[in-house]
C-alpha cells in the first residue's frame, strides 16, 4: 500500500455508544486513510448489510444484544466470507479473541488498548493478509480444478515417509476407484510391466541421481483385471541443500491409443496389404537377423527361397485382377501352411514371394521344403468358379561365409530362380558359383551392349537366299554382328539372348530393321532384278508386343521407298508358341500392311499345327540341325521332307537353312525344296562384298576374304 490516501469502507458493529465513538475517533486519525464508516449496534442488521454490500474490513464486537460469543464471528464470516474481520474484545475475553482467529478472523484488538496507530496497522495487515490468503486459495483452487479436469493423472511422492498422493484420475487410468489404491509407492512401481521394468528403473534412478532434468518414461503398466495399458510418466524431484531428493511429483498420461496407432502404422509399413504377409522391408530385416545369427554360430545354416509364380500374368490378363489377387492370397495361405513358426514368408511384390528358412542341416533340407511347397501349389485353386492351376519356379540360396549383406543373398536366390525358370516350370535351382559367374558375365554384357548401341559398334552382315532351281539370288537375310573393342567380332548367338532380357531389345531391334531396309532400297535401285530382291529380318518376339510396330514399319518403308512385299520378318517358332495370342493383333496388322511373315528355325520348337493354321505364315525355314544331319540320320531326312510337303500343302514357301555341302543341296533339290541358304552358296557378307556378289553374280563361296563368319 502506498502513502497516498486510501479509501476504506468499514463496517463497525458495536452496541456501546461510547466505545463506538472512541473507535471512530481513532479511525479519523489514522494517517493516509479515508474511512467510510457504517455503524450498527445490532448484529442482525449488520449481517444483512454485510451480505448486500462489500466492505474492506469489519470491526466486530462479540458481545451484542442479539448475539454473543464466538457464534457472532461465525455468522459474520458466513455473511461476508471474503471480508477481513477484526474482533474487538474486552480485557477479560482474550481467550475469545484467539478462538475468533481460528474461525477466520484476521486479528483481535482489546478495546482499552486501541489507539489510532494500532488500529491503522491492524486494519492494514488484516486487509493484506486477507488478500494474500484469497490469492493462495484461488491458486489452490485453480490447481485443484486443473488436476480434476486434466486428462493426466497426478502423483506427488513424499520420499521421506514413502507416502504418495495419487489423483483420482491417476487411479482411473488404471481402472481403479479412489479407495481401491493405497497411498503407497509400491502401488505404482509394483504394477510396471516386467518387459519395461529395466527401462523404467533406469529413467527413475538417472533422475534421482541428478543426471536428468526431467524424469520421463513410456512403459506398460498392469491395470485392473490384468489389462495392460501404455502410459507416459513425467516428474521432477525436489532436492534439499545437499541435493538429495526428498519429494517428487509429476503426471501420468494414458498413451495406449497412441501406441496402438503407432503399432498399426508400423504393421502396415511392414506388411503387404493383399496377403497380410511381411513385405520386402520386413523380409530384409529378418534376413539381416538370420545372417547375424549365422555369423555368431556358423553351424546354424539357413536358406533363402525366392519364388516366382509361373503363368501368373496369364491368369491376371485372362481372368482379371480380382482373380489374380485372390490367387495370390490363396497361394500365400498354402505356403504358410508348409512352414514352421520360425520361418518368414514374405511377398516381395507382384507374384514374387520369398522365404527365410531357418535351422536347416544343409541344402537337402531346403530342397525337401521346396518340394513340399511345390506339391502344395500343384493342387487346384478354386476362385470364382474357375479351376486354376499354378506352379512356382524357386531359387535357393544357402547361407555361407561369403554373404555380407541380405541383398547379396536375395540376389543369388533370384539368379537361381531365373535359372530354374529357364529350365521349365515348377522347377527349382540351388545357387552355385557358376551361376554367380554367369550373372556377372551377363551384367557386364548388358553394360557393354548399351555402349555398343551408343558408339555404333553394331554391324549387319547379309547372307544370300537362293532359289534352288537355278541358284539365282532372291534375297538376303540380315544378320547382326558386333565389333567388340576387345573381343573382336561377336556373333549374335552370344548376345541376342541377353538383349532379349533387357530394355535394349526394342532400340537394337529397330536399329537392325532400319539399317536393313535402307540397304535393301539401295540394292533394289542398283540391281533391279526380276523378281525384286527381298530382305529377311530376324525380329525378337518382344517387338511384336509393342502396339505401334506395324505403323512404325509402314512409315519406315514409305520413307525408304520399298514395297512391303520385299520385307520378310522372321519370327522364331518359340515366339509363335509363347506369345501366340498376344502377338496376334500385331501380326494381322503387319499382314494387312503387306509384309511377309516367316517362321524361323521350324522344327525345333514343337509348333502345333493349330498355330500355323490360325495364322497363315508365308514361309517356313527348316532349321539347320535337320539339314546338317540329313545324311547320317534317317529321321532328319524324313523331317525335312515332311516340312517341305507340309509347306506345299499349306501353300507356304519353304527355305532350308545351313546348306553346307553339294550332297545336301542335291538332296533338297530332289525333295523339291524351293529355296535355301547356307555356306555352300555363300557365307554372310559385309555390305561391300554383297555389291561385288550382285555385280558378278558369283556365289560368294568363291569370293574369298569377305566372309563374316
Ligand atoms: P537364324 O535366323 O537361324 O540365322 C541363320 C544363322 O545360321 C546365322 O547365324 C547364319 O550365319 C548361320 N548359317 C547360315 N548358313 C550356315 C551354314 O551353312 N552353316 C552354319 N553352320 N551356319 C550357317 P548367325 O548370324 O550367327 O545368327 C544366329 C542367330 O541369331 C540367327 O539365327 C537369329 O536367330 C539370330 N539373329 C541374328 N541377327 C539377328 C537380329 O538382327 N535380330 C534378332 N532378333 N536375332 C538375330
Ligand atoms: Mg533367321
Ligand atoms: Mg534359322
Amino acid at each position: 500500500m502506498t502513502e497516498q490516501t486510501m479509501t476504506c469502507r468499514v463496517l463497525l458493529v458495536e452496541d456501546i455508544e461510547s466505545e463506538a465513538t472512541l473507535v471512530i475517533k481513532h479511525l479519523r486519525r489514522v494517517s493516509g486513510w479515508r474511512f467510510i464508516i457504517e455503524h450498527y449496534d445490532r448484529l442482525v442488521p449488520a449481517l444483512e448489510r454485510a451480505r448486500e454490500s462489500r466492505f474492506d474490513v469489519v470491526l466486530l464486537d462479540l458481545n451484542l444484544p442479539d448475539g454473543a460469543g464466538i457464534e457472532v464471528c461465525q455468522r459474520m464470516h458466513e455473511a461476508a466470507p471474503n471480508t477481513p474481520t477484526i474482533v474487538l474484545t474486552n480485557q477479560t475475553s482474550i481467550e475469545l479473541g484467539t478462538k475468533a482467529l481460528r474461525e477466520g478472523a484476521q486479528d483481535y484488538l482489546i478495546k482499552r488498548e486501541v489507539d489510532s496507530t494500532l488500529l491503522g496497522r491492524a486494519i492494514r495487515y488484516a486487509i493484506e493478509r486477507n488478500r494474500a490468503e484469497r490469492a493462495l486459495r484461488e491458486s489452490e483452487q485453480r490447481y485443484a480444478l486443473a488436476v480434476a479436469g486434466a486428462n493426466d493423472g497426478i502423483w506427488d511422492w513424499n520420499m521421506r515417509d514413502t507416502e504418495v498422493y495419487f489423483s483420482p484420475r491417476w487411479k482411473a487410468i488404471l481402472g481403479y476407484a479412489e479407495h481401491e489404491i493405497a497411498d503407497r509407492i509400491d502401488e505404482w512401481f509394483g504394477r510396471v510391466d516386467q518387459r519395461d521394468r529395466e527401462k523404467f528403473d533406469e529413467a527413475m534412478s538417472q533422475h534421482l541421481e541428478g543426471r536428468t532434468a526431467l524424469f520421463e518414461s513410456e512403459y506398460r503398466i498392469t491395470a485392473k483385471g490384468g489389462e495392460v495399458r501404455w502410459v507416459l510418466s513425467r516428474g521432477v524431484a525436489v532436492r534439499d541443500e545437499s541435493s538429495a531428493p526428498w519429494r517428487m511429483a509429476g503426471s501420468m498420461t494414458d498413451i495406449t491409443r497412441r501406441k496402438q496407432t503407432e503399432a498399426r502404422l508400423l504393421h502396415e509399413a511392414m506388411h503387404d496389404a493383399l496377403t497380410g504377409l511381411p513385405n520386402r522391408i520386413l523380409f530384409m530385416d529378418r534376413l539381416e537377423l538370420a545372417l547375424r545369427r549365422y555369423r555368431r554360430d556358423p553351424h546354424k545354416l539357413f536358406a533363402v527361397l525366392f519364388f516366382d509364380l509361373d503363368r501368373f500374368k496369364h491368369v491376371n490378363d485372362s481372368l482379371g485382377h480380382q482373380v489374380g489377387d485372390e490367387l495370390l492370397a490363396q497361394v500365400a495361405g498354402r505356403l504358410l501352411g508348409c512352414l514352421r513358426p520360425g520361418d518368414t514368408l514374405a511377398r516381395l511384390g507382384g507374384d514374387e514371394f520369398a522365404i527365410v528358412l531357418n535351422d536347416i542341416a544343409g541344402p537337402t533340407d531346403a530342397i525337401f521344403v521346396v518340394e513340399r511347397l511345390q506339391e502344395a501349389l500343384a493342387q487346384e485353386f478354386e476362385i470364382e468358379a474357375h479351376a486354376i492351376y499354378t506352379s512356382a519356379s524357386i531359387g535357393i540360396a544357402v547361407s555361407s561365409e561369403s554373404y555380407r549383406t541380405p541383398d547379396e543373398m536375395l540376389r543369388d536366390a533370384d539368379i537361381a530362380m531365373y535359372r530354374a525358370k529357364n529350365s521349365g516350370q515348377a522347377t527349382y535351382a540351388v545357387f552355385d558359383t557358376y551361376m554367380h559367374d554367369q550373372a556377372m558375365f551377363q551384367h557386364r554384357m548388358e553394360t557393354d551392349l548399351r555402349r555398343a548401341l551408343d558408339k555404333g559398334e553394331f554391324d549387319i552382315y547379309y547372307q544370300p537366299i537362293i532359289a534352288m532351281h537355278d541358284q539365282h539370288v532372291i534375297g538376303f537375310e540380315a544378320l547382326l554382328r558386333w565389333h567388340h573393342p576387345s573381343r573382336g567380332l561377336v556373333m549374335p548367338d552370344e548376345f541376342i539372348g541377353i538383349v532379349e532380357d533387357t530394355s535394349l531389345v526394342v532400340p537394337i531391334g529397330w536399329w537392325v530393321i532400319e539399317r536393313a531396309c535402307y540397304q535393301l532400297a539401295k540394292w533394289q535401285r542398283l540391281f533391279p532384278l526380276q523378281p525384286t530382291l527381298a530382305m529377311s529380318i530376324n525380329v525378337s518376339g518382344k517387338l511384336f508386343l509393342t502396339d505401334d510396330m506395324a505403323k512404325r514399319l509402314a512409315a519406315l518403308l514409305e520413307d525408304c521407298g520399298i514395297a512391303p512385299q520385299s520385307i520378310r520378318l522372321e519370327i522364331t517358332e518359340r515366339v509363335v508358341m509363347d506369345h501366340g495370342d498376344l502377338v496376334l493383333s500385331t501380326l494381322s496388322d503387319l499382314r494387312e500392311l503387306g509384309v511377309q511373315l516367316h517362321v524361323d528355325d521350324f522344327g525345333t520348337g514343337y509348333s502345333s499345327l493349330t498355330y500355323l493354321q490360325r495364322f497363315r505364315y508365308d514361309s517356313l525355314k527348316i532349321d539347320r540341325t535337320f539339314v546338317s544331319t540329313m545324311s547320317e540320320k534317317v529321321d532328319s531326312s524324313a523331317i525335312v521332307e515332311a516340312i517341305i510337303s507340309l509347306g506345299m500343302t499349306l501353300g507356304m514357301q519353304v527355305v532350308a537353312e545351313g546348306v553346307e555341302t553339294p550332297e545336301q543341296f542335291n538332296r533338297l533339290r530332289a525333295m523339291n525344296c524351293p529355296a535355301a541358304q547356307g555356306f555352300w552358296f555363300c557365307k554372310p557378307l559385309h555390305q561391300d562384298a554383297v555389291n561385288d556378289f550382285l555385280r558378278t553374280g558369283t556365289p560368294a563361296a568363291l569370293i574369298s576374304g569377305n566372309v563374316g563368319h
Side-chain angles (χ1 to χ4, degrees):
M1 241 164 269
T2 63
E3 284 308 302
Q4 296 169 301
T5 306
M6 306 283 292
T7 305
C8 179
R9 296 187 65 206
V10 181
L11 178 63
L12 173 63
V13 193
E14 171 63 75
D15 60 327
I16 302 169
E17 190 60 40
S18 59
E19 302 277 8
T21 314
L22 195 62
V23 168
I24 291 168
K25 197 176 84 192
H26 288 313
L27 284 175
R28 298 260 181 258
R29 289 205 195 127
V30 176
S31 64
W33 290 77
R34 193 171 71 83
F35 292 100
I36 300 166
I37 306 157
E38 284 188 40
H39 173 217
Y40 292 89
D41 56 3
R42 295 278 188 284
L43 180 61
V44 175
L47 288 176
E48 221 164 275
R49 191 69 190 114
R51 268 189 212 104
E52 62 187 36
S53 186
R54 169 133 177 68
F55 291 90
D56 294 308
V57 66
V58 179
L59 299 178
L60 183 63
D61 179 24
L62 293 188
N63 201 5
L64 297 163
D66 53 352
I70 194 68
E71 179 217 10
V72 173
C73 191
Q74 288 166 344
R75 288 172 71 184
M76 181 52 78
H77 189 67
E78 270 168 34
N82 291 326
T83 309
T85 302
I86 298 172
V87 167
L88 304 170
T89 64
N90 294 317
Q91 193 89 47
T92 50
S93 51
I94 294 178
E95 203 187 324
L96 193 60
T98 43
K99 255 195 203 162
L101 291 185
R102 285 204 290 275
E103 289 305 321
Q106 293 295 343
D107 205 352
Y108 70 92
L109 294 174
I110 298 156
K111 290 182 196 171
R112 291 279 149 233
E113 293 174 1
V114 165
D115 61 23
S116 58
T117 321
L118 193 62
L119 196 58
R121 195 188 302 145
I123 288 177
R124 182 174 302 140
Y125 287 157
I127 292 175
E128 271 176 29
R129 204 178 306 124
N130 175 263
R131 202 173 279 158
E133 277 176 10
R134 253 199 356 250
L136 183 63
R137 235 185 355 261
E138 273 169 21
S139 134
E140 274 178 350
Q141 240 169 22
R142 198 178 303 129
Y143 173 73
L145 275 173
V147 168
N151 211 21
D152 292 350
I154 300 293
W155 50 273
D156 187 348
W157 176 21
N158 182 341
M159 295 159 90
R160 286 187 175 141
D161 53 15
T162 74
E163 228 188 58
V164 194
Y165 164 76
F166 296 118
S167 74
R169 175 70 192 140
W170 192 98
K171 297 175 185 176
I173 288 175
L174 301 189
Y176 289 101
E178 181 68 37
H179 65 278
E180 288 181 301
I181 285 202
D183 298 337
R184 287 195 323 268
I185 194 66
D186 57 317
E187 294 271 18
W188 174 11
F189 291 177
R191 287 188 167 82
V192 174
D193 193 285
Q194 212 51 45
R195 288 167 286 185
D196 300 323
R197 183 90 240 177
E198 205 173 308
K199 181 176 76 172
F200 178 87
D201 287 349
E202 174 68 16
M204 183 60 85
S205 54
Q206 278 205 347
H207 182 68
L208 292 180
E209 286 161 22
R211 285 184 282 148
T212 52
L214 177 77
F215 158 73
E216 192 167 33
S217 181
E218 284 187 8
Y219 56 95
R220 278 158 287 196
I221 192 163
T222 310
K224 194 173 181 178
E227 186 201 348
V228 172
R229 301 201 71 79
W230 272 100
V231 292
L232 160 67
S233 285
R234 287 179 151 142
V236 178
V238 181
R239 294 163 198 281
D240 62 16
E241 313 76 52
S242 61
S243 322
W246 65 271
R247 179 181 175 186
M248 193 171 166
S251 63
M252 179 167 83
T253 317
D254 188 345
I255 54 168
T256 311
R257 280 272 289 283
R258 192 191 90 205
K259 282 285 178 187
Q260 283 167 347
T261 312
E262 276 175 12
R264 205 192 64 235
L265 290 177
L266 195 67
H267 183 90
E268 280 170 13
M270 297 278 199
H271 289 77
D272 164 47
L274 176 66
T275 58
L277 294 177
N279 63 11
R280 183 183 286 269
I281 299 168
L282 184 53
F283 181 81
M284 294 313 262
D285 204 56
R286 298 271 171 85
L287 183 50
E288 168 97 59
L289 223 71
L291 262 177
R292 243 185 276 155
R293 204 169 30 203
Y294 170 75
R295 261 182 239 126
R296 276 200 306 274
D297 183 1
H299 297 293
K300 288 226 159 80
L301 289 181
F302 71 97
V304 171
L305 312 183
F306 195 106
F307 281 65
D308 185 278
L309 293 189
D310 303 317
R311 293 185 311 272
F312 177 73
K313 198 176 145 25
H314 180 73
V315 172
N316 242 353
D317 289 346
S318 56
L319 300 176
H321 286 268
Q322 216 155 331
V323 175
D325 283 357
E326 179 58 26
L327 177 62
L328 289 175
Q330 288 196 18
V331 163
R334 283 206 196 159
L335 295 179
L336 265 185
C338 299
L339 299 176
R340 290 169 304 179
D343 303 328
T344 300
L345 167 66
R347 178 171 173 229
L348 303 187
D351 58 348
E352 286 178 355
F353 293 86
I355 295 175
V356 176
L357 208 60
N358 279 312
D359 296 329
I360 54 167
T364 30
D365 272 4
I367 290 173
F368 278 137
V369 175
V370 162
E371 284 172 349
R372 209 163 62 220
L373 293 168
Q374 277 172 336
E375 214 166 285
L377 291 183
Q379 312 300 314
E380 178 190 297
F381 288 89
E382 203 192 305
I383 299 165
E384 292 181 9
H386 299 288
I388 297 173
Y389 289 90
T390 189
S391 57
S393 305
I394 305 177
I396 306 167
V398 180
S399 50
S400 96
E401 310 259 334
S402 65
Y403 288 125
R404 276 161 306 153
T405 66
D407 288 304
E408 290 175 359
M409 205 167 163
L410 188 65
R411 177 203 63 202
D412 285 357
D414 190 6
I415 291 170
M417 188 279 288
Y418 265 98
R419 176 54 65 98
K421 211 173 190 72
N422 281 336
S423 61
Q425 298 185 337
T427 52
Y428 62 82
V430 182
F431 181 82
D432 57 29
T433 46
Y434 173 73
M435 287 184 203
H436 176 77
D437 296 345
Q438 196 71 2
M440 291 300 287
F441 173 74
Q442 289 218 354
H443 176 71
R444 246 197 333 270
M445 279 287 268
E446 210 180 307
T447 336
D448 279 7
L449 283 164
R450 268 173 220 286
R451 189 207 53 222
L453 191 61
D454 289 344
K455 297 244 164 105
E457 292 169 12
F458 289 122
D459 198 358
I460 297 183
Y461 275 56
Y462 301 90
Q463 186 176 37
I465 297 172
I466 307 294
M468 289 293 276
H469 68 279
D470 63 355
Q471 294 183 55
H472 77 272
V473 59
I474 51 177
F476 296 91
E477 177 173 7
L479 295 161
L480 186 58
R481 296 291 180 267
W482 179 9
H483 296 289
H484 192 282
S486 57
R487 291 167 58 198
L489 191 70
V490 185
M491 305 306 280
D493 281 338
E494 282 187 59
F495 63 87
I496 279 292
I498 295 169
V499 170
E500 307 232 337
D501 280 343
T502 67
S503 57
L504 288 167
V505 65
V506 175
I508 292 181
W510 278 104
W511 182 86
V512 173
I513 295 172
E514 282 168 14
R515 184 76 185 257
C517 286
Y518 281 109
Q519 187 60 62
L520 178 67
K522 212 187 258 172
W523 284 332
Q524 284 185 347
R525 265 200 315 279
L526 285 173
F527 307 99
L529 302 178
Q530 254 337 303
T532 19
L533 285 171
M535 184 66 80
S536 297
I537 306 171
N538 297 287
V539 181
S540 146
K542 297 267 169 61
L543 239 59
F544 290 98
L545 293 172
T546 58
D547 297 332
D548 60 343
M549 174 161 184
K551 226 190 275 167
R552 188 167 168 183
L553 186 60
L556 173 65
L557 294 179
E558 178 144 356
D559 193 46
C560 38
I562 48 182
Q565 289 69 26
S566 323
I567 297 300
R568 297 161 182 187
L569 301 182
E570 296 193 0
I571 312 162
T572 60
E573 195 182 9
R574 212 172 278 279
V575 172
V576 178
M577 290 298 291
D578 286 355
H579 305 291
D581 296 332
L582 295 170
V583 300
L584 221 63
S585 72
T586 306
L587 289 182
S588 58
D589 289 349
L590 289 168
R591 172 167 290 286
E592 209 159 293
L593 175 64
V595 299
Q596 294 197 30
L597 300 168
H598 290 199
V599 180
D600 204 351
D601 304 346
F602 190 73
T604 57
Y606 316 102
S607 288
S608 79
L609 286 176
T610 347
Y611 269 109
L612 288 181
Q613 260 185 335
R614 251 170 75 187
F615 203 84
R616 277 187 34 79
Y617 293 92
D618 299 285
S619 175
L620 300 176
K621 293 190 80 171
I622 307 173
D623 194 67
R624 190 171 74 227
T625 46
F626 301 114
V627 176
S628 63
T629 52
M630 267 194 311
S631 48
E632 306 105 68
K633 289 192 186 166
V634 191
D635 282 359
S636 297
S637 187
I639 289 171
V640 172
E641 204 162 4
I643 296 174
I644 293 168
S645 73
L646 177 72
M648 289 205 287
T649 319
L650 295 175
M652 293 185 197
Q653 260 275 9
V654 174
V655 182
E657 292 185 308
V659 181
E660 290 182 340
T661 64
E663 293 77 41
Q664 289 165 354
F665 170 71
N666 289 329
R667 266 186 117 104
L668 287 165
R669 194 159 55 180
M671 291 174 186
N672 283 329
C673 180
Q677 68 188 96
F679 293 172
W680 187 67
F681 306 108
C682 186
K683 287 193 170 180
L685 303 173
H686 187 261
Q687 64 196 50
D688 298 338
V690 175
N691 287 330
D692 297 340
F693 175 81
L694 286 171
R695 205 173 298 119
T696 58
T698 319
L702 305 175
I703 304 170
S704 56
N706 277 326
V707 291
H709 199 90

